[in-house]
Amino acid sequence: ALTGCSSGTETTEESTGGDASAESGDGAYKIALIQQHQTNAFQIGVTEGAQAKADELGVELNILSADQDAAKQISQIEQCVSEGYDAILFEPVDPDGLRDAAKAAADAGVIMINIVSACTDWESAGISAVSCGDNVKAGENEMQHVADLLGGKGNIAILTGPSSTTDTTARLEGYRNILANYPDMTEVIAPADCAWDTAKAQSTVESWLSAYDLDAIVCQNDGMAVGAGNAAGANSGIVITGLDGTPDGYEAIKDGRITGTVAQDGGLMASSGVEAAVTLLDGGTLENNLIIADSVWIDSSNVADYE
Amino acid sequence: MEYILEMKDISKTFPGVKALDHVQLQVRPGEVHALMGENGAGKSTLMKILMGIYTRDAGGEILFDGKPYMVSNPKEAMDMGVAMIHQELNPILDMTVYENIFVGRELRKNGLVDKKAEIEQAQKLIEECGLHVSPKETLRNLTVAQCQLIEIIKAISVNAKVIIMDEPTAAITDREVELLFGHIRRLKEKGVAIIYISHRMAEIFSICDRVSVYRDGQYIGTGTTTELDEGQLIKMMVGREITDVYPKLEADIGEVVFEAKNIVRADNKVKGVSLSVRRGEILGIGGLVGAGRSELVEGIFGMHALSQGEIFVHGKRVKISSPEDIIKQGVALITEDRKVTGLNLSGTVNDNIAMVAIKKLLTHGLYNKGKARRASEEYIEKLNIKTPSADQIVGNLSGGNQQKIVIAKWLLNDPDIIILDEPTRGIDVGAKRDIYLLLGNLVRQGKAVIMISSEIPELMGICDRIMVMCEGNYSGEVSREEFSQERIMTLASAIKV
Amino acid sequence: MKEKSRAKSLISEYFIFVIFIALVVVLTCLKPSFIQPANLVNILKQASINGILAFGMMFVIIAGGFDMSVGSTVAFTGILAAMLGQGQYPIFVPLIVAMLGGLAVGVVNGVGVAVGNLPPFIMTLGTMTAVRGLALLISDGKPIIGISESYKAVAASSIFGIPMLAVFLVITILLCSFVLSKTVYGRRVYACGGNLLAAQVSGINTTKIRISTFAIAGLLAGLSGFLMTSRVTIAQPTAAESYEMDAITACVVGGVSMTGGVGKPWGVVIGCLLITVIANGLDIMGVSSHWQKIVKGAIIVLAVLIDVKGKSKKR
Amino acid sequence: MKEKSRAKSLISEYFIFVIFIALVVVLTCLKPSFIQPANLVNILKQASINGILAFGMMFVIIAGGFDMSVGSTVAFTGILAAMLGQGQYPIFVPLIVAMLGGLAVGVVNGVGVAVGNLPPFIMTLGTMTAVRGLALLISDGKPIIGISESYKAVAASSIFGIPMLAVFLVITILLCSFVLSKTVYGRRVYACGGNLLAAQVSGINTTKIRISTFAIAGLLAGLSGFLMTSRVTIAQPTAAESYEMDAITACVVGGVSMTGGVGKPWGVVIGCLLITVIANGLDIMGVSSHWQKIVKGAIIVLAVLIDVKGKSKKR
Ligand SMILES: Nc1ncnc2c1ncn2[C@@H]1O[C@H](COP(=O)(O)OP(=O)(O)OP(=O)(O)O)[C@@H](O)[C@H]1O
Ligand SMILES: Nc1ncnc2c1ncn2[C@@H]1O[C@H](COP(=O)(O)OP(=O)(O)OP(=O)(O)O)[C@@H](O)[C@H]1O
Ligand SMILES: [Mg+2]
Ligand SMILES: [Mg+2]
């Protein structure tokens, strides 16, 4: 950890040296945010959180979307470096795949910050700060509530996002961590990859329900939980949970189609990231270069507070 | 050894059709052997079996050079020394002339394509055939006739022992035919055997040594051209005597019903041609390949933009911007290239017959399949179209029968003015006669006909008047009293200054 | 002999149907709950949206075209419908607007292809991308929630146990089959696809026909978008990703030729059921998503292969 | 006069090139940093993988086919390469295995199309789905990490400032152009696509040629998979989603006809650069991702439209 820290500071020094010249050009810092994609409520929350913070701090923020393609994200980082950005915030499409690109950018004097999820061994990849949620913990949080609701016993099924994306694998890891404690909770069907899509989730669950007795359907995002809820019908007695905490999920919680969701605040992760970048660019240091936004369980009892 | 090629007891069945029923064929080295028979007799099928395109039914045998001949694809056939000019043209339209000539047997140098040598050789071959195109021209820019000549060049430049020519002259005029015959004679001298399929009687007697005749998938017989005469041959083919090959029905010629004045096409392929036709009249248009006859009628029909010209139907000026407009005026155009502009080859006979005159096949505003079938059957009967049923896919019919479908689909629309561009291309003697009679009856009913043909005897046989074109220009006109082959040829090759 | 060959040719024409039945039998043996009424209702529901899209696609392909944009159009029109379906207007307003939105996309495609002479693939790929962007733009990238109860009821309700979605599908099938086989327009669609030039020379206004086929595909995509939103109760800008592939697959499996001019509505019905049944069957058997992909790919290829071979045996 | 018309016909043949230059000029005016060497290097890198895929696709399309499976094949072979590229073998082992893996997929496609007589669309859609499943299966749905430094260096290094990726691309371009324009094989690929029947009756073994074009596409997809893994330093089973669309777009924009038989390698180079430049230009101008989709779709359609119109003026 010590070496990690020191390399972090080194990078900071280099970058402050680097952007002094850039800064003289146009005053405000130029910061880029490269999101995984911009096609759901959570991601738009990230966009908005970052933009609001940037406006508040008076920095120039340019937001790009990698469309869930690691190769594209690498290209975008390279592009931002050659465009002379002072700092790059990015939401890695893959925790391992972006490390070298981040390192190269940091070596070129750009401040690199991870948001939403962290690269593996991020400190040694030249990343100065991470502002993220913890997908494993969020998954644990969700599954723990399911276990509590079922009394530790029952048939469950899981709907996942696209296999191999970091969100999917980390959340699944969280689920499995909890399931390990509850031998009576059985996964009666292999997890189905519904690619975050409501309609696909809905069809899959419809089919399942005609063949299996399920006590709970655990979904990796709210969109799929809404689909599962539609298939099961309101107040079906099946525990259906989501993850993310987005308006579509809240709506379904209110009318009883889904039981609850685990909310992660993408906007907060992004705004903290922007703040950290500006602090570092100003030559300051961070109290803590790992900022974690906690996840919260939301069900019908507290959903009104979150809308 | 007497025969280079012997086919014995060959049969071929398609669903619903017995295309060949235990037929035979013997070809001697160095002879030109004609295959004759009505449309759908099975000539092309027999040759495709020889090329390995179709597999014959079990039984029978083929001997080549005395040895059993077994091929399963054209490549093997060509390796054995058999080449073929196909009836249905097979140009690769997006390739150049030289590429087409050498496709499948590219010239090589150091393992790579020797483009230069190909162009040089192609140039030579083209000149020998009297064709005036650049070897680097793309086939898409050539006319049907020019494409046909390229096919011929392609086949005769192969070092083959047997060359099959399936209606090689269907789209070309006498001048090119003569050049082709020159080539055939030279090949003969080298001992190459030619199997020659044609519906043009005169060609058979001028170039062929022996004739084998088929009818409805059966072998009828073989004879030498010196012993047979035209009448006998026709009788073998159609099973009855035909005395007048070009029947001319008398009709009353009335007022002008269709007139095109000073047609100039935007692409300048037609440079100011006028024509008019009267009720009850058959107007012929003659000329050499490339005279621009097809271009003229296609321009009139709204298929290409005109830069100048006026069109009058029944004395009324009409504006034409698409075929739709002129069809509404009661005009029909049976186009030259049935595959490209005539037929929906993947559709059934019904579908094709219903293409133009669908409005006639409705009951209560809806398409009535029964009506369409009855209409198809009427024309199958009238034009003697050989097809197992009106539901057959048109692509599966023999070439001549496809041509008849094109004619049928237009006649069903009951047009007043009928323009036909090489309508008898690939049609057998009997059926040709049927078509002439049909045209004769149409003009008798007060309709008018314009017919383009490269067969001068045909034009002279049935037309009332022949207009001749040359290089996109009008070059003269001959009336029935003055008809003579020389007169027409002179006009056709008139050199414009 | 003649009887026998006729029976043979009938079987070979309806071969895909035989394959479909075989698949159903196999699935039933493997998992008896497959054939339960409840699951059959599921299959109907699941087949509906793809079925409606496939019927639109059928017009385009038979006329010799190709439409990559229908998936995006479903998402786009679904969002339009959700925005107008919050209860502020009567339910037919979102329906009409969604269908008009789809129609507009279709007309743009058609004009590009028939007037602009663009290859259908590139034209519709362009609109596929652009319309997806539009969907994201108007929804700001977020799902649209809050559609009214009456709108939700459209897809959720049933008539005599038959889900409304399936009713929409059946109406579409009947209408489209009727148009294709009975009207002058339908016959001309086949003529255009069979040989465009010949159709033109035969006096058919091919431009109009081709534009109209894309318009129909768009219109039906709009209807699908409307139904999709009702079914999933929200409208996602990322919805219906690659639905065009399923629609095209349903057509091709059902015997519609990609080169145009050939295809029968009943074939598309079977094609579309086949795809749905594969997905449904694999789901209820609990096959893992990874294996599902492999099996689905293999079954589709095999089905078409058997069909092609079954047909060509005829020769 | 003749000179003038020749110049005109030259311009119309190379029209897409003119459009490309125009686009570059516009982008440079809007954002001068676009034309900076650093960004040009970026563009080269970004164009490489799609470019290699597009060249494989070109063979298939010119021969009258169509390949939907190359994206999945990139993912699949990328995983193979990553598994073997952990340092346990010399670097050429993953390269060869990836290419062989791609080749195998290509041959399956080719056999299905040329021997099984399946429509290319359905055959390759089947393998697209199945191979994606395979990629997920062998990777167990998780990214493969831990490739060796020397493997990472393949894509990360440069020669004389030119990134290695671009070197691979240039080699591919040169080789493919040579094969297509100079060899007998290349000529026959055009013949097959131009008129399959004619090629057959001219004695060409069309089955072999068609299989081989799919094999080439697969082989190059394998190479791309190998490079992709090196570039992103991991292998994801979900990588290269819909890369086939970009490859096809590059071909069509570059003048390769979807009906086969027509197309020039240099056109594909331009097509592929055009696509990359659009994405790169929009990114550096800071256009929002939703608008990017709209603009990208519109530019592609417009480019092809202008090209088509420019060409048809000639006639
Ligand atoms: N692929 C096919 N499928 C079904 N029937 C076919 C097929 N090819 C040919 N036929 C049928 O076989 C018969 C013989 O056809 P063929 O083409 O050999 O006739 P042809 O003697 O060459 O006639 P033409 O003088 O018109 O060219 C015809 O009745 C035709 O309809
Ligand atoms: N697409 C084209 N591009 C360039 N030149 C063409 C094209 N089509 C035809 N031509 C030229 O136009 C002229 C007329 O063509 P065409 O051979 O069709 O006339 P035709 O009198 O109808 O002959 P036929 O009916 O005997 O084929 C010829 O000189 C030909 O070379
Ligand atoms: Mg024939
Ligand atoms: Mg002509």
Side-chain angles (χ1 to χ4, degrees):
Chain A
L2 247 175
T3 44
C5 262
S6 67
S7 80
T9 14
E10 256 171 45
T11 325
T12 320
E13 277 165 16
E14 271 175 30
S15 62
T16 15
D19 64 58
S21 54
E23 212 186 325
S24 57
D26 47 358
Y29 296 123
K30 257 173 77 184
I31 299 177
L33 165 60
I34 307 174
Q35 292 188 246
Q36 252 194 60
H37 61 105
Q38 289 182 316
T39 60
N40 66 25
F42 178 84
Q43 292 293 345
I44 298 300
V46 171
T47 314
E48 289 168 352
Q51 191 63 58
K53 188 51 111 185
D55 292 346
E56 181 193 322
L57 298 176
V59 295
E60 188 190 328
L61 181 71
N62 186 14
I63 302 174
L64 302 175
S65 159
D67 296 336
Q68 309 194 33
D69 181 345
K72 183 163 180 186
Q73 196 165 39
I74 292 171
S75 299
Q76 287 170 325
I77 291 178
E78 290 167 351
Q79 228 163 271
C80 289
V81 172
S82 68
E83 284 290 296
Y85 280 88
D86 302 310
I88 299 173
L89 277 67
F90 72 106
E91 192 190 323
V93 173
D94 185 276
D96 297 287
L98 272 298
R99 294 183 76 251
D100 285 11
K103 182 93 175 63
D107 289 347
V110 181
I111 292 193
M112 298 301 291
I113 292 179
N114 257 186
I115 62 164
V116 181
S117 59
C119 282
T120 311
D121 197 10
W122 52 274
E123 285 169 305
S124 69
I127 290 166
S128 314
V130 174
S131 165
C132 65
D134 187 329
N135 268 317
V136 179
K137 275 211 183 119
E140 287 173 352
N141 192 353
E142 184 184 358
M143 190 57 90
Q144 185 63 56
H145 279 90
V146 173
D148 294 346
L149 287 166
L150 293 183
K153 191 164 166 289
N155 293 338
I156 65 161
I158 294 171
L159 297 182
T160 73
S163 311
S164 101
T165 59
T166 115
D167 299 329
T168 302
T169 42
R171 289 171 194 183
L172 200 58
E173 187 187 333
Y175 292 169
R176 295 267 152 82
N177 291 345
I178 298 296
L179 284 177
N181 305 332
Y182 296 94
D184 291 339
M185 281 173 68
T186 33
E187 276 185 67
V188 284
I189 321 167
D193 167 2
C194 291
W196 311 131
D197 183 48
T198 308
K200 178 98 174 50
Q202 192 162 336
S203 297
T204 303
V205 173
E206 276 171 358
S207 304
W208 281 352
L209 291 179
S210 68
Y212 299 91
D213 243 342
L214 295 175
D215 298 308
I217 302 166
V218 186
C219 310
Q220 289 195 342
N221 82 344
D222 284 357
M224 295 191 295
V226 169
N230 288 337
N235 306 312
S236 57
I238 301 174
V239 173
I240 297 172
T241 58
L243 204 156
D244 271 356
T246 46
D248 45 335
Y250 298 152
E251 186 191 51
I253 291 176
K254 277 194 298 180
D255 58 27
R257 278 174 293 154
I258 74 176
T259 318
T261 185
V262 169
Q264 305 204 88
D265 193 342
L268 180 64
M269 298 173 203
S271 60
S272 313
V274 174
E275 213 170 342
V278 175
T279 311
L280 292 172
L281 287 171
D282 282 338
T285 44
L286 297 173
E287 270 172 45
N288 192 346
N289 58 0
L290 177 61
I291 310 155
I292 293 194
D294 278 330
S295 60
V296 243
W297 171 253
I298 295 172
D299 59 14
S300 54
S301 65
N302 62 348
V303 65
D305 307 339
Y306 288 89
E307 276 176 276
Chain B
M1 180 194 4
E2 193 184 2
Y3 299 120
I4 173 91
L5 175 73
E6 258 188 293
M7 300 177 84
K8 290 187 220 158
D9 213 15
I10 306 289
S11 298
K12 174 72 191 172
T13 320
F14 292 112
V17 191
K18 184 115 197 168
L20 293 173
D21 191 4
H22 301 283
V23 304
Q24 53 164 312
L25 172 67
Q26 277 107 9
V27 182
R28 296 186 180 129
E31 77 166 343
V32 181
H33 193 117
L35 299 193
M36 297 213 67
E38 293 178 272
N39 296 128
K43 307 176 294 287
S44 299
T45 305
L46 186 66
M47 293 301 103
K48 284 182 185 169
I49 288 172
L50 191 57
M51 288 305 287
I53 296 169
Y54 292 152
T55 28
R56 62 176 195 264
D57 298 350
E61 80 171 320
I62 305 178
L63 297 177
F64 189 80
D65 241 347
K67 290 184 278 293
Y69 170 92
M70 241 143 354
V71 299
S72 57
N73 61 44
K75 170 135 188 57
E76 287 171 21
M78 286 158 101
D79 291 343
M80 296 285 293
V82 184
M84 176 161 175
I85 300 172
H86 288 265
Q87 175 180 18
E88 297 306 328
L89 287 178
N90 268 307
I92 302 174
L93 290 176
D94 288 308
M95 283 191 147
T96 59
V97 170
Y98 77 88
E99 284 170 332
N100 264 282
I101 290 176
F102 291 104
V103 67
R105 52 193 183 91
E106 297 79 2
L107 302 182
R108 296 165 204 239
K109 196 162 104 188
N110 309 326
L112 301 178
V113 178
D114 189 351
K115 208 159 131 180
K116 223 175 112 213
E118 284 187 352
I119 295 175
E120 264 167 29
Q121 287 198 26
Q123 179 73 50
K124 229 175 75 209
L125 290 164
I126 292 169
E127 274 165 16
E128 280 172 19
C129 271
L131 192 59
H132 300 287
V133 296
S134 152
K136 290 190 220 155
E137 186 63 84
T138 308
L139 256 70
R140 200 173 277 290
N141 296 334
L142 302 187
T143 62
V144 179
Q146 289 166 331
C147 290
Q148 177 82 63
L149 289 170
I150 303 292
E151 286 284 309
I152 292 172
I153 291 172
K154 194 171 135 185
I156 60 182
S157 63
V158 178
N159 243 334
K161 291 184 198 146
V162 174
I163 300 179
I164 304 160
M165 301 186 176
D166 196 351
E167 306 198 20
T169 55
I172 57 178
T173 50
D174 292 351
R175 196 177 58 183
E176 292 80 22
V177 173
E178 264 320 308
L179 285 163
L180 171 65
F181 285 0
H183 281 288
I184 290 179
R185 288 192 193 100
R186 251 170 286 150
L187 289 167
K188 252 179 89 159
E189 278 160 22
K190 284 197 266 171
V192 177
I194 311 271
I195 301 177
Y196 192 89
I197 303 177
S198 176
H199 291 291
R200 294 188 182 176
M201 225 31 100
E203 291 175 2
I204 304 298
F205 287 98
S206 76
I207 192 77
C208 299
D209 303 308
R210 295 198 307 150
V211 199
S212 289
V213 180
Y214 302 84
R215 192 194 314 147
D216 286 337
Q218 313 263 354
Y219 170 71
I220 302 296
T222 302
T224 59
T225 44
T226 42
E227 288 161 7
L228 286 168
D229 69 19
E230 204 170 310
Q232 284 170 304
L233 192 53
I234 292 174
K235 190 168 174 211
M236 282 171 84
M237 282 167 64
V238 299
R240 66 192 149 96
E241 305 257 1
I242 293 182
T243 42
D244 52 338
V245 190
Y246 299 113
K248 172 81 187 151
L249 302 184
E250 289 311 319
D252 297 331
I253 295 182
E255 80 282 4
V256 171
V257 287
F258 181 85
E259 202 172 0
K261 282 190 186 155
N262 194 27
I263 302 293
V264 180
R265 257 173 58 157
D267 54 14
N268 212 30
K269 281 181 195 151
V270 178
K271 306 158 188 163
V273 177
S274 304
L275 65 80
S276 69
V277 61
R278 294 167 178 277
R279 175 189 300 280
E281 186 185 35
I282 301 182
L283 168 69
I285 306 182
L288 298 175
V289 171
R293 297 165 299 170
S294 307
E295 277 73 6
L296 170 67
V297 293
E298 285 172 6
I300 290 173
F301 209 66
M303 290 163 64
H304 293 278
L306 299 182
S307 59
Q308 260 184 64
E310 294 174 6
I311 290 160
F312 299 86
V313 182
H314 296 300
K316 219 171 71 232
R317 168 125 200 242
V318 289
K319 261 201 71 62
I320 310 291
S321 57
S322 73
E324 206 182 348
D325 299 334
I326 195 161
I327 292 169
K328 282 205 190 106
Q329 303 294 330
V331 183
L333 170 61
I334 288 137
T335 48
E336 182 178 24
D337 191 336
R338 57 177 173 259
K339 263 184 149 175
V340 176
T341 50
L343 294 169
N344 169 0
L345 289 171
S346 56
T348 62
V349 173
N350 276 331
D351 293 341
N352 277 280
I353 298 258
M355 204 133 90
V356 184
I358 189 163
K359 295 263 161 70
K360 290 203 161 53
L361 307 173
L362 308 181
T363 29
H364 309 305
L366 296 178
Y367 178 68
N368 184 331
K369 210 172 167 189
K371 251 189 187 170
R373 178 177 324 233
R374 279 192 295 282
S376 307
E377 276 160 5
E378 184 192 328
Y379 279 96
I380 289 175
E381 170 83 38
K382 233 190 209 164
L383 299 182
N384 192 20
I385 300 173
K386 288 225 173 62
T387 169
S389 81
D391 291 318
Q392 175 74 312
I393 304 289
V394 168
N396 288 342
L397 296 184
S398 82
N401 286 306
Q402 290 181 2
Q403 182 68 31
K404 293 182 192 171
I405 303 277
V406 185
I407 297 177
K409 85 169 188 186
W410 283 104
L411 291 186
L412 181 63
N413 200 36
D414 195 22
D416 293 334
I417 296 121
I418 303 148
I419 309 175
L420 307 101
D421 194 352
E422 310 277 4
T424 56
R425 203 177 128 194
I427 290 193
D428 68 53
V429 239
K432 265 185 194 165
R433 191 166 172 279
D434 293 343
I435 289 173
Y436 302 145
L437 285 173
L438 194 90
L439 293 179
N441 276 318
L442 289 171
V443 291
R444 261 193 183 169
Q445 292 162 28
K447 306 193 183 249
V449 170
I450 301 173
M451 182 164 100
I452 297 176
S453 174
S454 296
E455 275 187 75
I456 295 176
E458 172 178 273
L459 287 178
M460 297 203 304
I462 66 156
C463 294
D464 297 296
R465 191 156 54 93
I466 298 175
M467 178 184 119
V468 184
M469 284 180 66
C470 177
E471 291 173 8
N473 290 295
Y474 170 88
S475 72
E477 206 173 279
V478 200
S479 61
R480 188 160 179 91
E481 305 80 63
E482 315 164 304
F483 279 176
S484 84
Q485 190 124 4
E486 294 68 44
R487 190 75 206 278
I488 295 168
M489 281 309 289
T490 319
L491 286 172
S493 42
I495 312 291
K496 283 265 158 191
V497 195
Chain C
M1 156 98 204
K2 206 164 174 192
E3 268 310 295
K4 210 172 116 197
S5 84
R6 213 167 115 208
K8 254 195 203 157
S9 99
L10 254 178
I11 287 182
S12 77
E13 193 184 336
Y14 295 92
F15 211 78
I16 192 74
F17 188 69
V18 178
I19 299 171
F20 172 69
I21 297 294
L23 188 72
V24 168
V25 170
V26 169
L27 284 172
T28 310
C29 294
L30 290 174
K31 191 90 188 181
S33 62
F34 172 81
I35 206 77
Q36 294 302 308
N39 194 47
L40 295 183
V41 168
N42 283 340
I43 293 177
L44 275 184
K45 278 198 234 166
Q46 289 160 14
S48 303
I49 287 175
N50 181 32
I52 294 174
L53 288 177
F55 266 81
M57 188 66 80
M58 178 179 70
F59 277 88
V60 177
I61 301 186
I62 289 181
F66 196 74
D67 192 347
M68 299 289 294
S69 70
V70 293
S72 297
T73 309
V74 169
F76 168 62
T77 55
I79 284 171
L80 287 183
M83 287 173 151
L84 300 168
Q86 311 265 334
Q88 74 275 51
Y89 302 113
I91 190 69
F92 65 83
V93 173
L95 172 63
I96 302 286
V97 173
M99 290 181 75
L100 288 180
L103 186 73
V105 176
V107 170
V108 170
N109 283 333
V111 170
V113 171
V115 181
N117 243 331
L118 292 176
F121 180 83
I122 216 71
M123 179 67 217
T124 59
L125 195 77
T127 42
M128 160 175 148
T129 314
V131 170
R132 180 71 67 186
L134 211 58
L136 285 160
L137 199 70
I138 59 171
S139 68
D140 193 20
K142 288 182 288 208
I144 308 282
I145 59 169
I147 66 167
S148 66
E149 285 309 314
S150 63
Y151 187 6
K152 286 185 189 166
V154 172
S157 56
S158 356
I159 304 181
F160 308 121
I162 296 167
M164 266 308 264
L165 280 176
V167 174
F168 275 97
L169 174 64
V170 170
I171 294 175
T172 307
I173 292 178
L174 293 179
L175 257 177
C176 290
S177 313
F178 173 79
V179 169
L180 265 186
S181 63
K182 288 284 163 197
T183 64
V184 173
Y185 170 75
R187 304 316 299 174
R188 292 188 164 170
V189 169
Y190 281 100
C192 278
N195 184 341
L196 190 66
L197 215 56
Q200 225 161 356
V201 174
S202 303
I204 297 175
N205 187 334
T206 53
T207 311
K208 229 161 62 185
I209 301 273
R210 288 168 90 201
I211 294 179
S212 71
T213 58
F214 282 97
I216 291 175
L219 197 77
L220 290 176
L223 173 61
S224 301
F226 171 81
L227 294 175
M228 182 84 167
T229 296
S230 171
R231 175 159 157 80
V232 302
T233 68
I234 54 172
Q236 290 170 307
T238 49
E241 195 87 60
S242 79
Y243 275 29
E244 58 278 354
M245 293 297 156
D246 279 343
I248 298 173
T249 308
C251 288
V252 178
V253 169
V256 178
S257 155
M258 295 283 284
T259 49
V262 179
K264 295 236 170 64
W266 68 261
V268 177
V269 175
I270 302 290
C272 163
L273 285 176
L274 194 85
I275 292 178
T276 314
V277 161
I278 294 173
N280 174 284
L282 293 175
D283 267 346
I284 69 170
M285 292 202 302
V287 176
S288 87
S289 313
H290 306 165
W291 273 107
Q292 280 207 17
K293 291 210 167 69
I294 299 180
V295 174
K296 184 180 164 189
I299 292 185
I300 290 175
V301 168
L302 277 182
V304 181
L305 190 68
I306 297 175
D307 189 37
V308 168
K309 292 291 155 204
K311 277 198 182 125
S312 73
K313 234 200 207 131
K314 188 165 77 161
R315 299 251 155 126
Chain D
M1 154 104 202
K2 206 165 175 192
E3 268 310 294
K4 210 173 115 196
S5 85
R6 214 168 111 204
K8 254 194 201 156
S9 99
L10 253 178
I11 288 183
S12 76
E13 195 183 336
Y14 296 92
F15 211 77
I16 193 71
F17 188 70
V18 177
I19 299 172
F20 172 70
I21 297 295
L23 189 72
V24 168
V25 170
V26 169
L27 284 172
T28 310
C29 294
L30 290 173
K31 191 92 186 179
S33 63
F34 172 81
I35 207 77
Q36 294 303 308
N39 195 47
L40 296 183
V41 168
N42 285 339
I43 291 178
L44 274 184
K45 278 199 227 166
Q46 289 161 20
S48 304
I49 287 177
N50 181 32
I52 294 175
L53 288 178
F55 266 81
M57 188 66 80
M58 178 179 70
F59 277 89
V60 177
I61 301 186
I62 289 182
F66 195 73
D67 192 348
M68 300 288 296
S69 71
V70 293
S72 297
T73 308
V74 169
F76 168 63
T77 54
I79 284 172
L80 288 183
M83 287 173 152
L84 301 168
Q86 310 268 336
Q88 73 274 53
Y89 302 112
I91 190 70
F92 65 84
V93 173
L95 172 63
I96 301 287
V97 172
M99 289 180 76
L100 288 179
L103 186 73
V105 176
V107 169
V108 170
N109 282 333
V111 170
V113 171
V115 181
N117 242 330
L118 292 176
F121 179 83
I122 216 73
M123 178 68 216
T124 57
L125 194 77
T127 42
M128 160 176 147
T129 314
V131 169
R132 180 70 68 184
L134 211 59
L136 286 159
L137 200 71
I138 58 171
S139 67
D140 195 20
K142 286 181 288 227
I144 307 283
I145 58 171
I147 65 168
S148 67
E149 285 309 316
S150 64
Y151 187 5
K152 286 186 190 170
V154 172
S157 56
S158 356
I159 304 180
F160 309 122
I162 296 168
M164 266 307 264
L165 281 176
V167 173
F168 276 96
L169 174 64
V170 170
I171 294 175
T172 306
I173 292 177
L174 293 180
L175 257 176
C176 290
S177 312
F178 174 78
V179 169
L180 264 186
S181 64
K182 294 283 169 202
T183 65
V184 172
Y185 171 76
R187 177 78 72 76
R188 291 182 173 184
V189 169
Y190 280 100
C192 279
N195 185 337
L196 189 66
L197 211 64
Q200 226 161 354
V201 300
S202 303
I204 293 177
N205 187 336
T206 53
T207 312
K208 226 162 66 187
I209 300 274
R210 289 168 89 201
I211 294 179
S212 71
T213 57
F214 282 97
I216 291 174
L219 197 79
L220 289 177
L223 173 61
S224 301
F226 171 82
L227 294 175
M228 183 84 169
T229 296
S230 172
R231 174 143 170 86
V232 302
T233 70
I234 52 156
Q236 289 173 302
T238 48
E241 195 87 60
S242 80
Y243 274 29
E244 60 278 353
M245 292 297 155
D246 278 343
I248 298 173
T249 309
C251 289
V252 179
V253 169
V256 178
S257 156
M258 295 283 284
T259 49
V262 180
K264 295 240 167 61
W266 69 260
V268 178
V269 175
I270 302 290
C272 163
L273 285 176
L274 195 83
I275 292 180
T276 315
V277 160
I278 294 173
N280 176 286
L282 292 176
D283 264 352
I284 69 171
M285 291 202 304
V287 176
S288 89
S289 71
H290 305 165
W291 271 107
Q292 280 205 15
K293 290 208 167 68
I294 300 179
V295 174
K296 184 180 166 193
I299 292 185
I300 289 175
V301 169
L302 276 182
V304 180
L305 190 68
I306 297 174
D307 188 38
V308 167
K309 292 291 154 203
K311 275 196 182 129
S312 71
K313 231 192 213 143
K314 178 171 84 164
R315 297 256 156 123

